[in-house]
């Protein structure tokens, strides 16, 4: 693997040297590819166009990110920004590379979560859009356009992850392929209309099962916090190492979103009947609401409190998008029509 890692470092150096003037663009692309964006941006946007597609996006995002966490714990992938120093292969020939504010993620590196979740979630979006265009226009060119954009997006997200030294190229490729397969598989098994007990059991089962896996591996002498220690040791700035990028943050986000999805479908199984204009208004209000929910400061000490509040935060995401905001908009617009 040393050869693969070394070639990845030199590729990152060339990429930074040739495209450093596009730093802001790569930073934006990596934020768009952040798994968190699937919950806070892609989900509400998709839901107010197609309720089933929106539910599918949330479902696929949660399961694919959870699987990515498990894969990372099993594969122990390095990250470029710490491997450069830890490998001691570059003492006499230091690469000219830079870290950025989004570089210092704390989980293992393989496979790339950004690439994997992006590939899975956006497959739901583009396949739905492609099917819609084909049924409306019967044009092969138009129906193929979303899939072309899908490939362009995956390539852009992958390059952005290499550029900021968060991943090696092979980790991005592995994440993209795995996410693509998961997107196809999970989008055909969307739990729309399932009882609340299903989502409660799934959320608790994934949470407890993952915690037990973590404890079991520790009993075997496998330290799963090794990557966090390396992140803190080799990140250029201490403030770039954030608790919300830790593996357990991903876990609580996924389990919270799944429980929230079940609660939302329990409160309002069929959703609120909204026309085009109220849907657009609901999307705007939901986006603003989720923006402020995401910006709520959480105490980082003790970590258990942080993870508990992080879980609650993402339980609220489906409530805001599927129940609270559409219900409020429906109430206001319905009253106006009656007046």
């Amino acid at each position: 693997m040393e050869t693969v890692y070394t070639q990845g470092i030199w590729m990152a150096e060339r990429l930074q040297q040739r495209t450093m003037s596009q730093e802001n663009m790569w930073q934006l692309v990596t934020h768009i590819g952040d798994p968190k964006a699937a919950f806070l941006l892609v989900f509400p946007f998709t839901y107010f166009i197609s309720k089933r597609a929106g539910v599918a996006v949330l479902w696929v995002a949660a399961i694919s990110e959870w699987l990515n966490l498990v894969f990372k714990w099993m594969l122990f992938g390095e990250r470029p920004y710490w491997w450069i120093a830890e490998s001691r292969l570059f003492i006499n020939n230091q690469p000219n590379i830079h870290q950025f504010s989004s570089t210092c993620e704390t989980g293992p590196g393989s496979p790339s979560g950004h690439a994997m979740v992006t590939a899975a979630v956006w497959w739901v979006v583009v396949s739905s859009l492609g099917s819609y265009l084909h049924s409306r226009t019967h044009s092969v060119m138009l129906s193929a356009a979303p899939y072309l954009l899908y490939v362009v997006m995956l390539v852009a997200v992958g390059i952005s992850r290499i550029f900021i030294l968060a991943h090696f190229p092979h980790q991005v490729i592995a994440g993209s392929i795995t996410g693509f397969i998961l997107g196809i598989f999970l989008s055909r098994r969307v739990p729309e209309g399932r009882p609340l007990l299903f989502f409660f059991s799934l959320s608790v089962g994934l949470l407890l099962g993952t915690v037990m896996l973590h404890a079991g591996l520790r009993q075997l002498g496998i330290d799963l916090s090794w990557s966090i220690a390396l992140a803190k040791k080799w990140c250029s700035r201490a403030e770039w190492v954030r608790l919300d990028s830790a593996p357990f943050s991903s876990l609580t986000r996924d389990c919270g979103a799944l429980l929230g999805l079940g609660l939302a479908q329990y409160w309002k199984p069929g959703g609120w009947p909204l026309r085009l204009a109220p849907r657009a208004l609901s999307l705007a209000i939901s986006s603003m609401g989720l923006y402020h929910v995401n910006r709520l400061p959480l105490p980082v000490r003790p970590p258990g409190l942080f993870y508990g509040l992080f879980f609650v935060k993402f339980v609220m995401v489906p409530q805001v998008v599927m129940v609270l905001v559409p219900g409020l908009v429906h109430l206001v617009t319905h009253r106006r029509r009656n007046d």
Side-chain angles (χ1 to χ4, degrees):
M1 287 301 293
E2 280 190 357
T3 302
V4 175
Y5 285 151
T6 303
Q7 291 302 315
I9 296 298
W10 296 125
M11 179 178 176
E13 180 190 49
R14 291 192 296 271
L15 183 61
Q16 285 192 1
Q17 290 176 347
R18 295 177 182 178
T19 65
M20 186 58 76
S21 59
Q22 283 82 49
E23 173 193 343
N24 291 335
M25 180 194 72
W26 293 129
Q27 292 268 34
L28 175 62
V29 171
T30 205
H31 285 305
I32 292 174
D34 193 324
K36 180 170 59 179
F39 297 87
L40 301 177
L41 295 176
V42 184
F43 163 56
F45 179 80
T46 309
Y47 180 77
F48 289 112
I49 296 176
S50 167
K51 292 179 180 178
R52 188 189 185 281
V55 171
V57 162
L58 194 63
W59 161 253
V60 170
I63 298 300
S64 61
E65 189 180 31
W66 176 79
L67 284 171
N68 179 258
L69 169 62
V70 175
F71 290 159
K72 283 180 174 178
W73 279 352
M74 297 299 179
L75 296 176
F76 294 93
E78 306 281 353
R79 287 188 185 267
Y81 74 92
W82 73 55
W83 187 81
I84 293 171
E86 287 290 314
S87 68
R88 301 185 181 278
L89 297 176
F90 301 92
I91 296 176
N92 299 321
N93 188 19
Q94 283 290 330
N96 182 22
I97 51 179
H98 306 276
Q99 294 184 19
F100 305 91
S101 59
S102 52
T103 296
C104 303
E105 296 188 8
T106 57
S110 187
S112 166
H114 279 60
M116 184 168 162
V117 176
T118 297
V121 166
W122 280 95
W123 174 258
V124 177
V125 178
V126 301
S127 60
S128 299
L129 182 58
S131 298
Y132 174 80
L133 290 174
H134 185 265
S135 64
R136 289 287 183 174
T137 66
H138 301 288
S139 169
V140 175
M141 293 293 292
L142 281 177
S143 58
Y147 298 97
L148 177 61
L149 292 175
Y150 175 74
V151 173
V152 171
M153 174 174 288
L154 289 186
V155 171
V157 170
I159 292 175
S160 74
R161 303 303 288 165
I162 299 169
F163 176 88
I164 67 170
L165 301 181
H167 287 291
F168 291 96
H170 71 280
Q171 296 171 344
V172 169
I173 295 171
S176 298
I177 294 174
T178 306
F180 169 68
I181 295 171
L182 283 174
I184 295 174
F185 178 79
L186 293 173
S187 62
R188 297 173 179 173
R189 291 160 177 80
V190 181
E192 193 177 23
R194 289 290 191 96
L196 177 58
L197 180 61
F198 169 83
F199 291 96
F200 178 80
S201 302
L202 181 61
S203 177
V204 173
L206 291 181
L207 182 62
L208 294 180
T210 309
V211 171
M212 291 174 62
L213 173 63
H214 184 275
L217 291 175
R218 289 193 64 179
Q219 288 295 319
L220 294 175
I222 301 174
D223 181 16
L224 294 179
S225 63
W226 66 275
S227 60
I228 299 175
L230 290 176
K232 293 179 178 179
K233 181 179 179 181
W234 296 112
C235 187
S236 296
R237 298 186 184 180
E239 64 270 20
W240 288 352
V241 180
R242 304 183 309 276
L243 196 56
D244 64 359
S245 73
F248 275 105
S249 294
S250 301
L251 174 63
T252 51
R253 172 167 53 230
D254 302 332
C255 295
L258 288 171
L259 179 58
L261 177 60
L263 287 171
Q265 293 190 113
Y266 174 76
W267 301 130
K268 193 65 180 176
W272 293 95
L274 298 175
R275 296 181 179 180
L276 182 59
R279 284 189 186 187
L281 179 60
S282 296
L283 173 58
I285 297 174
S286 296
S287 298
M288 289 188 292
L290 293 183
Y291 172 79
H292 290 292
V293 167
N294 183 54
R295 285 177 58 86
L296 285 174
L298 300 180
V300 296
R301 291 282 183 261
L305 177 60
F306 173 87
Y307 291 130
L309 294 175
F310 204 72
F311 177 87
V312 172
K313 178 188 288 190
F314 280 89
V315 169
M316 287 301 300
V317 168
Q319 314 307 308
V320 171
V321 175
M322 299 173 66
V323 180
L324 298 177
V325 171
L328 177 62
V329 171
H330 174 75
L331 180 63
V332 172
T333 55
H334 185 70
R335 281 186 175 179
R336 285 186 177 180
R337 285 198 300 270
N338 289 339
D339 292 343

